[in-house]
């Protein structure tokens, strides 16, 4: 790809940002679509997000992704926030406007598209959401909006689960959410559940752990989704698979939040399914390559 004077610049702000696969994905989209747009990683220290957004605007940066730890802090530095992002309480995509950036959250759309593609139906289903952090908020929003019959929210700190449950029920005018401590899963009577794992437990380099390690839990599940994609099969997914559940890792969520962001920055573009599939293959190859390197 040739960068020239007319190239649009997008990027990701985060800390750390070195391991982000977003530059690879977005530059691949641009190359394949023949768009004059480049995407770069920007390391932004905690507390510096306001300056970064102001600087980005002054530098005529076209759009940004926002990752840990800035997804909430960035919200006060924007000229507008999309309704969904406001409801979720986190922004992961900035779209340039005349007077600043408007914030969006494409994680919710990412998780929904990934689940639908994996054949995981939400409507009418009992769902068990593990975690109450940033990723959990996007997942809870999707599960309630897509009319889950029940959403059990389990988290290590119960107050956070209670806060999220109350917030989602208030937002959608429902009473489907129930907060619980992690160990209280035994109180869940339903079977054939869809579990969505959003905690950081099991993520590389701490693979080999699952937030719930009792096999009996996994026998309650028909389907298990893990927001983690490295490793590609977490212990959570391995245990769910062993119990006979359909499983899906977080790669599709990563891919589709990126697709949605790219389409927000380029409203005239729709990324074809075939291109998304090739981007997924590249992400997998990259992640497998990194694991091989790690073993040496
Ligand atoms: P993200 O933005 O990826 O969701 P986060 O907001 O830091 O990250 O949330 C991390 C989630 O993993 C939280 O639900 C956290 O539980 P607490 O709210 O109790 O902190 C959960 N988590 C992290 N380490 C955990 C552990 N060792 N056991 C159980 N839950 C853990």
């Amino acid at each position: 790809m040739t960068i020239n004077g007319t190239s649009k610049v997008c990027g990701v702000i985060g800390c750390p940002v070195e391991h982000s696969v977003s530059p690879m994905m977005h530059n691949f989209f641009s190359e394949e679509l023949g768009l004059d747009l480049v995407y770069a990683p920007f390391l932004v220290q905690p507390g510096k997000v306001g300056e970064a957004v102001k600087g980005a605007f002054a530098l005529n940066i076209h759009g940004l992704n926002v990752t840990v730890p800035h997804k909430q802090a960035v919200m006060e530095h924007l000229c507008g926030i999309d309704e969904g992002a406001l409801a979720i309480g986190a922004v992961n995509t900035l779209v340039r406007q005349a007077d600043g950036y408007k914030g969006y959250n494409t994680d919710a759309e990412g998780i929904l598209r990934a689940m639908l593609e994996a054949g995981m139906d939400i409507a009418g289903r009992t769902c068990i959401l593990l975690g109450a952090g940033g990723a959990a908020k996007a997942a809870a929003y999707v599960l309630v909006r897509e009319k889950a019959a029940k959403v059990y929210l389990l988290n290590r700190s119960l107050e956070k689960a209670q806060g999220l449950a109350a917030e989602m029920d208030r937002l959608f005018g429902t009473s489907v959410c129930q907060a619980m401590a992690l160990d209280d899963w035994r109180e869940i009577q339903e079977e054939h559940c869809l579990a969505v794992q959003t905690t950081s437990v099991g993520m590389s380099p701490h693979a080999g752990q699952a937030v719930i390690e009792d096999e009996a839990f996994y026998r309650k599940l028909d389907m298990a989704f893990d927001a983690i994609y490295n490793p590609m099969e977490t212990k959570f997914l391995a245990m769910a698979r062993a119990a006979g559940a359909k499983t899906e890792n977080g790669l599709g969520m990563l891919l589709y939040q990126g697709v949605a962001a790219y389409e927000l920055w380029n409203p005239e573009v729709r990324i074809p399914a075939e291109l998304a599939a090739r981007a997924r293959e590249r992400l997998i190859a990259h992640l497998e390559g990194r694991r091989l390197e790690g073993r040496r």
Side-chain angles (χ1 to χ4, degrees), residues 129-274:
L129 178 57
L130 302 171
K137 285 181 182 172
Y141 176 80
V142 164
L143 295 177
V144 179
R145 193 189 67 188
E146 298 302 313
K147 306 215 169 354
K150 182 89 197 171
V151 182
Y152 292 102
L153 288 112
L154 279 62
N155 196 46
R156 179 175 58 180
S157 16
L158 178 59
E159 321 79 68
K160 272 169 74 178
Q162 286 168 333
L164 182 55
E167 178 59 21
M168 288 302 141
D169 272 340
R170 189 197 58 76
L171 187 68
F172 291 101
T174 52
S175 52
V176 296
C177 295
Q178 185 176 331
M180 286 181 164
L182 274 178
D183 286 342
D184 291 343
W185 62 265
R186 290 178 185 81
E187 291 172 18
I188 299 173
Q189 300 301 321
E190 292 95 328
E191 294 183 333
H192 310 291
C193 301
L194 162 62
V196 181
Q197 197 307 108
T198 69
T199 77
S200 46
V201 180
M203 193 186 295
S204 177
H206 304 290
Q209 294 172 13
V211 69
I212 295 175
E213 299 215 330
D214 191 326
E215 284 172 18
F217 171 75
Y218 295 89
R219 290 198 288 272
K220 290 182 173 297
L221 311 184
D222 275 2
M223 300 180 280
F225 184 94
D226 199 326
I228 296 174
Y229 55 84
N230 190 11
M232 277 190 268
E233 186 178 70
T234 55
K235 183 168 185 188
F236 170 81
L237 288 187
M239 291 189 77
R241 185 166 57 87
K246 179 190 283 189
T247 63
E248 182 70 13
N249 69 21
L251 209 62
M253 178 181 175
L254 171 75
L255 174 69
Y256 289 121
Q257 65 75 32
V259 167
Y262 197 90
E263 292 177 348
L264 280 171
W265 296 324
N266 303 289
E268 72 287 1
V269 169
R270 283 292 163 267
I271 294 191
E274 158 282 317

Side-chain angles (χ1 to χ4, degrees), residues 21 229-230 232 251 254 282-292:
V21 292
Y229 55 84
N230 190 11
M232 277 190 268
L251 209 62
L254 171 75
R282 291 203 146 209
L283 290 170
I284 292 171
H286 177 79
L287 291 167
E288 283 176 344
R290 198 162 67 201
R291 273 214 299 279
L292 290 175

Side-chain angles (χ1 to χ4, degrees), residues 55-131:
F57 191 73
L59 287 167
N60 198 35
I61 286 181
H62 183 64
L64 288 170
N65 280 135
V66 183
T67 187
V68 175
H70 304 308
K71 285 186 182 188
Q72 275 172 283
V74 77
M75 294 174 80
E76 61 187 89
H77 304 286
L78 306 176
C79 68
I81 298 179
D82 167 71
E83 201 185 331
L86 208 54
I88 294 163
V91 157
N92 79 329
T93 302
L94 308 188
V95 179
R96 190 181 181 87
Q97 316 284 310
D99 52 350
Y101 292 98
K102 182 170 178 186
Y104 292 82
N105 187 310
T106 66
D107 286 334
E109 187 177 334
I111 200 167
L112 180 61
R113 275 187 76 172
M115 278 186 180
L116 292 178
E117 198 176 75
M120 298 182 168
D121 52 319
I122 299 167
R125 203 169 266 283
T126 300
C127 299
I128 304 174
L129 178 57
L130 302 171

